Short mmCIF file of all heavy atoms in Angstrom, two decimals:
data_model
loop_
_atom_site.label_atom_id
_atom_site.label_comp_id
_atom_site.label_asym_id
_atom_site.label_seq_id
_atom_site.Cartn_x
_atom_site.Cartn_y
_atom_site.Cartn_z
N THR A 234 -57.64 -81.74 29.16
CA THR A 234 -57.63 -80.33 28.78
C THR A 234 -57.63 -80.08 27.27
O THR A 234 -57.96 -79.00 26.82
CB THR A 234 -56.38 -79.63 29.36
OG1 THR A 234 -55.23 -80.38 28.92
CG2 THR A 234 -56.42 -79.59 30.87
N HIS A 235 -57.25 -81.09 26.50
CA HIS A 235 -57.08 -80.85 25.06
C HIS A 235 -58.43 -80.64 24.36
O HIS A 235 -59.36 -81.43 24.53
CB HIS A 235 -56.36 -82.04 24.42
CG HIS A 235 -56.08 -81.85 22.95
ND1 HIS A 235 -55.18 -80.93 22.47
CD2 HIS A 235 -56.60 -82.46 21.85
CE1 HIS A 235 -55.15 -80.98 21.15
NE2 HIS A 235 -56.00 -81.90 20.74
N VAL A 236 -58.51 -79.56 23.60
CA VAL A 236 -59.71 -79.32 22.79
C VAL A 236 -59.30 -79.55 21.34
O VAL A 236 -58.46 -78.81 20.81
CB VAL A 236 -60.24 -77.89 22.99
CG1 VAL A 236 -61.46 -77.65 22.11
CG2 VAL A 236 -60.57 -77.65 24.46
N SER A 237 -59.88 -80.57 20.71
CA SER A 237 -59.46 -80.92 19.36
C SER A 237 -59.68 -79.75 18.41
O SER A 237 -60.77 -79.16 18.39
CB SER A 237 -60.25 -82.11 18.84
OG SER A 237 -60.10 -83.19 19.71
N ALA A 238 -58.66 -79.45 17.63
CA ALA A 238 -58.75 -78.33 16.70
C ALA A 238 -59.77 -78.63 15.60
O ALA A 238 -60.44 -77.75 15.10
CB ALA A 238 -57.38 -78.08 16.08
N ASN A 239 -59.87 -79.88 15.22
CA ASN A 239 -60.85 -80.30 14.21
C ASN A 239 -61.19 -81.76 14.46
O ASN A 239 -60.49 -82.42 15.24
CB ASN A 239 -60.30 -80.06 12.80
CG ASN A 239 -59.08 -80.91 12.53
OD1 ASN A 239 -59.17 -82.14 12.47
ND2 ASN A 239 -57.92 -80.30 12.40
N PRO A 240 -62.23 -82.27 13.82
CA PRO A 240 -62.66 -83.65 14.14
C PRO A 240 -61.59 -84.71 13.88
O PRO A 240 -61.65 -85.80 14.43
CB PRO A 240 -63.87 -83.86 13.23
CG PRO A 240 -64.35 -82.51 12.87
CD PRO A 240 -63.17 -81.60 12.87
N PHE A 241 -60.61 -84.37 13.03
CA PHE A 241 -59.59 -85.35 12.68
C PHE A 241 -58.39 -85.34 13.64
O PHE A 241 -57.46 -86.11 13.48
CB PHE A 241 -59.10 -85.10 11.24
CG PHE A 241 -60.15 -85.38 10.21
CD1 PHE A 241 -61.07 -84.41 9.84
CD2 PHE A 241 -60.26 -86.64 9.62
CE1 PHE A 241 -62.06 -84.67 8.90
CE2 PHE A 241 -61.25 -86.91 8.69
CZ PHE A 241 -62.16 -85.93 8.33
N ASP A 242 -58.45 -84.47 14.62
CA ASP A 242 -57.35 -84.32 15.57
C ASP A 242 -57.46 -85.41 16.66
O ASP A 242 -57.82 -85.14 17.80
CB ASP A 242 -57.44 -82.89 16.15
CG ASP A 242 -56.42 -82.61 17.22
OD1 ASP A 242 -55.48 -83.40 17.37
OD2 ASP A 242 -56.59 -81.59 17.92
N ILE A 243 -57.16 -86.64 16.29
CA ILE A 243 -57.37 -87.77 17.21
C ILE A 243 -56.13 -88.65 17.34
O ILE A 243 -56.19 -89.72 17.93
CB ILE A 243 -58.56 -88.65 16.76
CG1 ILE A 243 -58.35 -89.16 15.32
CG2 ILE A 243 -59.88 -87.91 16.89
CD1 ILE A 243 -59.35 -90.22 14.88
N GLN A 244 -55.01 -88.18 16.78
CA GLN A 244 -53.82 -89.03 16.78
C GLN A 244 -53.35 -89.38 18.21
O GLN A 244 -52.81 -90.45 18.44
CB GLN A 244 -52.68 -88.37 16.00
CG GLN A 244 -51.41 -89.19 15.86
CD GLN A 244 -51.64 -90.55 15.20
OE1 GLN A 244 -52.04 -90.64 14.06
NE2 GLN A 244 -51.41 -91.62 15.96
N MET A 245 -53.60 -88.48 19.18
CA MET A 245 -53.15 -88.76 20.55
C MET A 245 -54.34 -89.08 21.47
O MET A 245 -54.25 -88.94 22.69
CB MET A 245 -52.37 -87.55 21.10
CG MET A 245 -51.18 -87.15 20.27
SD MET A 245 -50.07 -88.53 19.89
CE MET A 245 -49.23 -88.77 21.45
N SER A 246 -55.43 -89.49 20.89
CA SER A 246 -56.65 -89.73 21.68
C SER A 246 -56.53 -91.00 22.53
O SER A 246 -55.68 -91.86 22.26
CB SER A 246 -57.84 -89.86 20.73
OG SER A 246 -57.65 -91.00 19.90
N PRO A 247 -57.41 -91.14 23.53
CA PRO A 247 -57.44 -92.40 24.29
C PRO A 247 -57.61 -93.62 23.39
O PRO A 247 -57.04 -94.68 23.66
CB PRO A 247 -58.66 -92.22 25.20
CG PRO A 247 -58.77 -90.74 25.38
CD PRO A 247 -58.33 -90.14 24.07
N ALA A 248 -58.36 -93.47 22.26
CA ALA A 248 -58.55 -94.63 21.36
C ALA A 248 -57.21 -95.06 20.76
O ALA A 248 -56.94 -96.26 20.62
CB ALA A 248 -59.54 -94.28 20.25
N ALA A 249 -56.37 -94.09 20.42
CA ALA A 249 -55.07 -94.42 19.82
C ALA A 249 -54.19 -95.15 20.84
O ALA A 249 -53.59 -96.19 20.55
CB ALA A 249 -54.38 -93.15 19.33
N VAL A 250 -54.18 -94.60 22.05
CA VAL A 250 -53.33 -95.20 23.10
C VAL A 250 -53.85 -96.59 23.45
O VAL A 250 -53.08 -97.54 23.63
CB VAL A 250 -53.28 -94.28 24.34
CG1 VAL A 250 -52.65 -94.98 25.53
CG2 VAL A 250 -52.51 -93.01 23.99
N HIS A 251 -55.17 -96.71 23.49
CA HIS A 251 -55.74 -98.02 23.82
C HIS A 251 -55.39 -99.06 22.76
O HIS A 251 -55.05 -100.21 23.07
CB HIS A 251 -57.26 -97.89 23.99
CG HIS A 251 -57.89 -99.12 24.56
ND1 HIS A 251 -58.74 -99.92 23.83
CD2 HIS A 251 -57.78 -99.69 25.77
CE1 HIS A 251 -59.12 -100.93 24.59
NE2 HIS A 251 -58.57 -100.82 25.77
#
Side-chain angles (χ1 to χ4, degrees):
T234 54
H235 183 69
V236 178
S237 304
N239 64 66
F241 293 86
D242 176 13
I243 56 171
Q244 183 57 63
M245 303 309 285
S246 64
V250 169
H251 190 248

